[in-house]
Amino acid sequence: MKSQKFIIDTTLRDGEQSPGLAFNKEQKVLLAGMLDQIGVYQIEAGIPALGKYEKNTLCEIMAQKKKSLISVWNRANLNDIKHSMECNPDIIHISIPVSYVQIYKKLNKNKTWIFKEMAKCVCAAKEQGYEVTLGFEDASRADVSFLMPLALQAKELGVKRIRFADTVGVLTPTRCYELVNEFVKYTGVEVEIHTHNDLGMAVPNAVQAAKAGADYIDTTILGIGERAGNCDFQKLIYAAERIFNLNISHYTSLTVEERARRIIEYKKL
Amino acid sequence: MIRITDVTLTTLDLYDAKPELLRKMCEHLLEAEVDFIELSVPVYLKTGPLPRGGKYILRINDPLEAINYLEFNNFICRHNGYDRSPSIINEIQVNDMREINSLTQFSKLENVRLTGLDDILNHDYISLFERITKNISGRIELCPENRYYSATGIAVEWILNGGTDIVASFVGSGGFAPLEEVLLALRICKRHKPNLDLSVLQELKELYVEITGKEIYSHKAVIGEDIFDMEAGIHVNGIAKSPKMYEPYEPEIVGNSRKLIIGKHSGTSAIVFKCRELGLKLPKGLERKLLIMVQRYSIKKQASLNDEEFRMIYCKLMEDV
């Protein structure tokens, strides 16, 4: 029997961050409705901290959704999380930079600060009754001796699922398998794999992560996203449906892709 | 030792390409330091004399045809598989992983190319690679097909697991592993030719477009025109501090450059950078105001802003203050 895997579509968040793309409210609501209708498990719908327009859009998506869980993306700061709460999403997703280049150069902070901020943000969202998932940004380049205790602390805080992000798309299939396998075995948390296509391996990397125990796979329609994009929704389903139960057929994914092209109307797609 | 065979020219059989363009493509492939260039007979006849310094493989339909092309030392041929001439690479199609067991019948061949294996990553591929090398004692070229969008992954894994020879084609022409992805992946994951200038990939792209008339997606991995564009505040800020933060390799390696795009996802730091880039003086405290105006314009346009539009919004803000 094929094992069950769940698609988390991030077209409306990471996909939209593809430079040059800017969805308006109607487009986002339409795309979310379409993904909801076909039974995508979770839709990462946007970033409330972007402002009022984005928050209105997210509230509208929440009001119209029927089956999918709606999550919103946050940096690890309380202000972002306050914005998210105004949208009353199903899941508050908090991104935690975990590689040293991100911690020391981007944030100009240290590992202790990461532990503290993560705890502060998770507690703030959980106190208000939200389900929280974490995104370990740049996990593929992180030091495992830091990553594992951080995941264990997250688990103690009540976080059930962690996104393992290959932020710059440098993993190979075997490396991806090994990292995720070790992470799942050591921490016991549910893993969501998030791959990028910089070296053309987003799809095989996601499949290997799923083989290694990641139950959730991030995709974007048409593979849109920063640089060379993310794991392509349709391609992933085509490559993985023979070994996993994804609840969405390849035929459905092709239809979605076609409809999305018409909604997005972006000349470069 | 890693050896890469490029088969792009073989896949261009059906295009009415000018000889000089085909020759140019050979030259660029040699600059990209591929080890062998494969051509079909029709492409070879069209191309004429091939650039010097390259090692070429001619695709023929029957081993007996080899005698007609004495200028070639290497041939590839899909046939009954029992020609043991060292100059012939015997191509064998593997459509199902169970077929790997029957490769023992080719165990004595000196040169074998295994084509297909498109879903090998869905299986225990490391054991399957071992079985392949156990079943064939000669030189094995792996030519993964890209039906499941995994050909680059297969090619890279073959090398990382002890294989030496892989086959690819530019942009994955013909349904194979995209050469540009394989080159970059091996450079990053295996440190294969880490100092090689791959800016020639841009020239190869232009040639490929000219020959085939096909457009290359602007976000195509490695060679897409827009892959180093940056817009999101978090990325612009990060790259300003250290490009390594959000880029797996420097754009210059592949003949590209970073471009700052202003739009819905920009942050205040991007606004400040853009003003500086365009020589616009933005008084302190107005960054946020300008950002909000830019974001509104971008949402309305459903795209990012060009420099003229940015300048126009800036002027409007300055008139109002």
Side-chain angles (χ1 to χ4, degrees):
Chain A
M1 201 171 125
K2 293 179 192 173
S3 62
Q4 179 75 53
K5 302 290 171 185
F6 302 94
I7 301 281
I8 297 178
D9 190 89
T10 180
T11 306
L12 303 180
R13 200 282 297 174
D14 213 10
E16 197 197 6
Q17 281 189 331
S18 179
L21 261 185
F23 295 148
N24 62 28
K25 185 177 175 183
E26 290 71 28
Q27 286 173 312
K28 285 191 91 156
V29 171
L30 272 172
L31 287 166
M34 186 174 73
L35 293 165
D36 183 31
Q37 198 186 10
I38 63 160
V40 164
Y41 177 77
Q42 183 182 324
I43 301 166
E44 188 171 58
I47 308 170
L50 275 178
K52 211 187 268 179
Y53 186 85
E54 182 81 346
K55 280 190 271 190
N56 285 339
T57 306
L58 292 166
C59 289
E60 185 63 28
I61 290 171
M62 273 305 289
Q64 292 200 16
K65 67 108 181 184
K66 291 187 175 67
K67 292 181 280 186
S68 302
L69 295 171
I70 304 296
S71 59
V72 294
W73 190 91
N74 300 265
R75 290 167 294 185
N77 73 55
L78 292 177
N79 213 26
D80 272 27
I81 290 160
K82 274 183 204 155
H83 283 296
S84 285
M85 287 175 184
E86 289 176 38
C87 306
N88 198 23
D90 296 310
I91 296 170
I92 288 188
H93 179 86
I94 304 165
S95 180
I96 312 288
V98 292
S99 66
Y100 292 154
V101 67
Q102 296 254 352
I103 298 169
Y104 294 101
K105 288 199 174 166
K106 184 172 84 174
L107 300 174
N108 205 16
K109 302 288 182 191
N110 56 41
K111 290 190 271 187
T112 313
W113 185 88
I114 293 287
F115 272 101
K116 280 184 188 161
E117 284 303 299
M118 182 179 82
K120 203 161 73 182
C121 292
V122 169
C123 292
K126 280 200 134 332
E127 273 167 16
Q128 298 302 314
Y130 286 99
E131 185 185 336
V132 175
T133 61
L134 294 178
F136 279 4
E137 189 181 354
D138 211 10
S140 54
R141 294 191 296 178
D143 176 356
V144 283
S145 70
F146 169 61
L147 210 58
M148 300 300 185
L150 193 68
L152 290 176
Q153 194 205 31
K155 194 178 167 186
E156 273 178 30
L157 293 167
V159 174
K160 289 190 191 117
R161 192 202 314 159
I162 292 175
R163 169 181 286 170
F164 194 99
D166 181 21
T167 303
V168 290
V170 288
L171 284 181
T172 56
T174 301
R175 184 79 186 126
C176 194
Y177 181 96
E178 288 168 350
L179 284 172
V180 170
N181 191 39
E182 192 183 351
F183 193 81
V184 170
K185 279 188 179 158
Y186 187 80
T187 65
V189 293
E190 293 179 338
V191 170
E192 169 184 338
I193 186 70
H194 181 95
T195 57
H196 277 267
N197 202 37
D198 295 85
L199 300 176
M201 293 189 277
V203 171
N205 286 345
V207 172
Q208 292 313 307
K211 278 167 74 178
D215 287 332
Y216 302 84
I217 306 171
D218 289 1
T219 62
T220 62
I221 298 171
L222 297 159
I224 58 172
E226 288 282 339
R227 304 181 311 277
N230 293 43
C231 182
D232 186 303
F233 175 74
Q234 179 268 121
K235 290 177 180 168
L236 183 275
I237 289 174
Y238 187 62
E241 70 175 0
R242 301 166 83 217
I243 50 171
F244 300 121
N245 181 11
L246 301 166
N247 283 345
I248 300 163
S249 71
H250 181 239
Y251 176 76
T252 306
S253 70
L254 281 172
T255 317
V256 162
E257 192 176 86
E258 206 37 57
R259 283 174 62 196
R261 264 184 214 279
R262 288 200 294 270
I263 294 169
I264 298 171
E265 288 177 353
Y266 182 56
K267 64 181 187 325
K268 288 184 176 175
L269 292 175
Chain B
M1 177 196 275
I2 298 171
R3 284 173 296 214
I4 301 175
T5 298
D6 179 87
V7 296
T8 314
L9 286 160
T10 298
T11 70
L12 300 180
D13 253 6
L14 299 174
Y15 296 96
D16 187 21
K18 290 178 187 158
E20 59 268 27
L21 295 184
L22 296 169
R23 271 197 297 275
K24 201 92 197 141
M25 183 164 269
C26 286
E27 285 168 14
H28 289 333
L29 287 168
L30 293 174
E31 282 174 54
E33 294 196 6
V34 300
D35 299 274
F36 296 95
I37 297 173
E38 183 194 300
L39 310 94
S40 63
V41 170
V43 169
Y44 170 56
L45 295 177
K46 230 182 281 178
T47 310
L50 298 169
R52 284 182 174 196
K55 290 180 193 158
Y56 298 96
I57 300 171
L58 190 67
R59 175 170 282 274
I60 51 179
N61 293 321
D62 189 301
L64 296 173
E65 285 176 36
I67 200 151
N68 302 327
Y69 304 98
L70 295 172
E71 60 276 36
F72 282 85
N73 294 321
N74 302 296
F75 300 89
I76 174 133
C77 186
R78 190 176 283 210
H79 63 111
N80 61 21
Y82 295 101
D83 190 303
R84 299 205 180 156
S85 156
S87 65
I88 303 271
I89 302 165
N90 296 270
E91 185 176 45
I92 298 156
Q93 181 79 30
V94 183
N95 294 323
D96 188 306
M97 295 315 120
R98 283 168 292 194
E99 293 169 19
I100 288 171
N101 291 330
S102 58
L103 291 176
T104 45
Q105 61 185 303
F106 307 110
S107 62
K108 298 284 184 285
L109 293 175
E110 282 190 39
N111 287 300
V112 172
R113 177 183 296 178
L114 297 181
T115 300
L117 302 128
D118 44 21
D119 73 336
I120 195 168
L121 295 187
N122 280 355
H123 304 267
D124 178 4
Y125 55 92
I126 294 176
S127 300
L128 290 171
F129 286 156
E130 281 170 10
R131 211 177 305 158
I132 288 170
T133 45
K134 203 176 148 200
N135 288 348
I136 300 170
S137 55
R139 171 176 169 250
I140 308 163
E141 288 183 348
L142 205 74
C143 178
E145 290 180 329
N146 204 23
R147 187 169 170 211
Y148 295 105
Y149 311 104
S150 302
T152 303
I154 298 168
V156 170
E157 286 300 339
W158 172 248
I159 296 296
L160 294 176
N161 285 283
T164 51
D165 294 79
I166 42 176
V167 179
S169 63
F170 193 67
V171 207
S173 182
F176 303 107
L179 174 73
E180 66 282 4
E181 293 174 6
V182 171
L183 287 172
L184 253 292
L186 290 178
R187 182 190 186 110
I188 291 172
C189 310
K190 182 84 178 162
R191 287 197 58 73
H192 176 60
K193 300 186 177 174
N195 300 317
L196 179 63
D197 175 13
L198 288 171
S199 58
V200 70
L201 293 174
Q202 296 300 329
E203 287 152 83
L204 270 169
K205 180 171 78 172
E206 282 165 25
L207 264 180
Y208 183 82
V209 169
E210 195 175 346
I211 292 170
T212 63
K214 288 180 183 170
E215 267 184 58
I216 306 285
Y217 178 41
S218 61
H219 290 274
K220 165 75 192 68
V222 183
I223 53 170
E225 190 188 339
D226 297 340
I227 59 172
F228 291 99
D229 287 4
M230 47 186 178
E231 178 184 322
I234 195 168
H235 292 122
V236 174
N237 211 9
I239 285 172
K241 288 175 182 163
S242 167
K244 273 186 192 164
M245 210 154 342
Y246 287 111
E247 287 170 356
Y249 54 89
E250 295 279 318
E252 293 76 21
I253 290 171
V254 292
N256 207 333
S257 57
R258 288 180 201 104
K259 286 189 282 291
L260 175 59
I261 304 289
I262 297 292
K264 178 182 171 182
H265 297 95
S266 296
T268 45
S269 50
I271 296 290
V272 172
F273 286 136
K274 196 68 184 176
C275 284
R276 211 177 295 157
E277 190 184 302
L278 297 176
L280 307 171
K281 242 186 168 175
L282 185 66
K284 272 202 169 169
L286 288 182
E287 299 91 346
R288 187 92 203 143
K289 259 190 173 170
L290 183 54
L291 174 67
I292 290 168
M293 289 170 79
V294 160
Q295 286 175 331
R296 280 189 191 145
Y297 189 93
S298 172
I299 290 166
K300 207 171 164 194
K301 190 187 169 193
Q302 293 173 33
S304 54
L305 282 66
N306 59 38
D307 287 353
E308 276 320 296
E309 290 166 325
F310 183 81
R311 223 185 279 269
M312 182 194 80
I313 292 170
Y314 166 84
C315 292
K316 196 167 181 305
L317 174 71
M318 297 312 284
E319 277 169 23
D320 294 346
V321 291

